[in-house]
């Protein structure tokens, strides 16, 4: 499993919880992510059945969208040749994810699944106003999905975009983000409001951020 983010940020959680479910089903899962502390060395740990490899964070933010650190990418390529995997599950299309995906297509040709949880090109990032870079980013974001045996998407809008870009509808699966029901418990709305000091039926706007 390939995650472009640093550990504990953004799509890391979607990737990890998918991996945890696979581990609970009896699969051996290795998840590649980026370290938040180590600049030059990889770190390994085991969490709830998932082997997590934190790749070096040096130069992680060299381009808009991040995830292009040379040591990070080198660590993933090394792991690519080390593991005799059965399935490659890649989250997003950023450089540290894309290179192993394209290597897989050129050499091992093992089944590859792509997860699409963010609309990067034209929305999430603007590439500092460079139109050519913007167009290239848009192409890569769509092209990597067209190579996949299946595409999982976080929302219906991305499912529509995947199909519009040429992915066959039967290969696109809407897999919305859920919650860990062993940890999150539903309680009465008024009781929840009382606990955090919100009065009555006052409207609430929620914001999710990586900050």
């Amino acid at each position: 499993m390939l995650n472009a983010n640093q550990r504990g940020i953004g799509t890391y959680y979607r990737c990890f919880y998918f991996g945890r479910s696979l581990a609970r089903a009896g699969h051996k899962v290795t998840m590649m992510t980026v370290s938040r502390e180590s600049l030059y060395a990889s770190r390994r740990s085991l969490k709830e059945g998932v082997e997590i490899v934190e790749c070096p964070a040096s130069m992680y933010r060299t381009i808009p969208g991040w995830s292009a650190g040379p040591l990070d990418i080198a660590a993933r390529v090394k792991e690519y040749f080390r593991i005799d995997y059965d399935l490659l599950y890649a989250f997003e299309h950023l450089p540290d994810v894309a290179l192993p995906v394209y290597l897989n297509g050129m050499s091992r040709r093992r089944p590859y699944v792509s997860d699409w949880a963010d609309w990067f090109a034209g929305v999430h990032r603007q590439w500092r106003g460079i139109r050519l870079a913007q167009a290239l980013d848009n192409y890569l974001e769509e092209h990597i999905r067209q190579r996949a045996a299946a595409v999982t998407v976080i929302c219906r809008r991305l499912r529509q975009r995947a199909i519009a870009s040429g992915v066959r509808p039967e290969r696109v699966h809407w897999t919305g983000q859920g919650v860990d029901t062993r940890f999150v418990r539903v309680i009465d709305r008024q009781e929840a409001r009382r606990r955090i000091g919100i009065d009555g039926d006052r409207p609430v706007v929620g914001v999710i951020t990586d900050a």
Side-chain angles (χ1 to χ4, degrees):
M1 304 188 78
L2 301 171
N3 169 58
N5 300 86
Q6 289 181 294
R7 180 167 184 162
I9 294 178
T11 307
Y12 166 88
Y13 289 104
R14 182 170 170 87
C15 183
F16 171 75
Y17 287 124
F18 279 22
R20 186 182 68 176
S21 295
L22 290 169
R24 287 176 177 174
H27 298 285
K28 183 178 180 180
V29 180
T30 299
M31 175 180 170
M32 308 290 293
T33 189
V34 183
S35 178
R36 298 184 71 173
E37 295 86 21
S38 178
L39 291 176
Y40 304 110
S42 296
R43 296 180 175 179
R44 293 178 180 270
S45 61
L46 187 66
K47 182 178 180 181
E48 299 186 63
V50 179
E51 181 184 23
I52 299 176
V53 181
E54 297 181 49
C55 301
S58 177
M59 300 179 68
Y60 171 69
R61 302 187 180 191
T62 52
I63 65 171
W66 309 344
S67 309
L71 295 180
D72 170 26
I73 293 173
R76 292 168 190 252
V77 171
K78 179 180 179 181
E79 201 74 8
Y80 166 84
F81 288 108
R82 188 186 74 85
I83 297 178
D84 184 23
Y85 58 87
D86 298 307
L87 174 71
L88 185 66
Y89 201 164
F91 288 67
E92 302 304 349
H93 73 294
L94 302 175
D96 60 0
V97 168
L99 185 56
V101 166
Y102 286 109
L103 278 175
N104 177 72
M106 291 185 293
S107 57
R108 291 181 174 178
R109 299 184 182 278
R110 303 286 171 81
Y112 148 59
V113 177
S114 176
D115 184 76
W116 204 346
D118 285 296
W119 190 328
F120 282 94
V123 178
H124 180 69
R125 56 184 176 186
Q126 297 296 326
W127 283 91
R128 304 186 181 112
I130 304 173
R131 291 187 179 182
L132 181 59
Q134 183 71 35
L136 177 61
D137 190 35
N138 183 78
Y139 170 79
L140 294 174
E141 185 171 28
E142 294 182 349
H143 183 259
I144 200 169
R145 270 79 194 196
Q146 295 164 5
R147 303 174 63 90
V151 179
T152 53
V153 296
I154 199 171
C155 63
R156 292 184 178 91
R157 183 65 186 91
L158 282 176
R159 182 177 189 275
Q160 293 170 358
R161 186 184 175 205
I163 294 170
S165 70
V167 183
R168 295 199 304 273
E170 65 271 20
R171 290 166 49 198
V172 186
H173 308 276
W174 173 47
T175 310
Q177 189 69 14
V179 298
D180 185 348
T181 55
R182 298 182 309 167
F183 176 74
V184 177
R185 295 287 184 266
V186 177
I187 64 174
D188 178 75
R189 183 172 66 178
Q190 293 301 324
E191 171 64 13
R193 285 171 171 262
R194 185 193 64 78
R195 290 188 186 184
I196 61 177
I198 300 176
D199 296 330
D201 293 322
R202 181 180 299 173
V204 177
V205 178
V207 178
I208 300 176
T209 176
D210 288 344

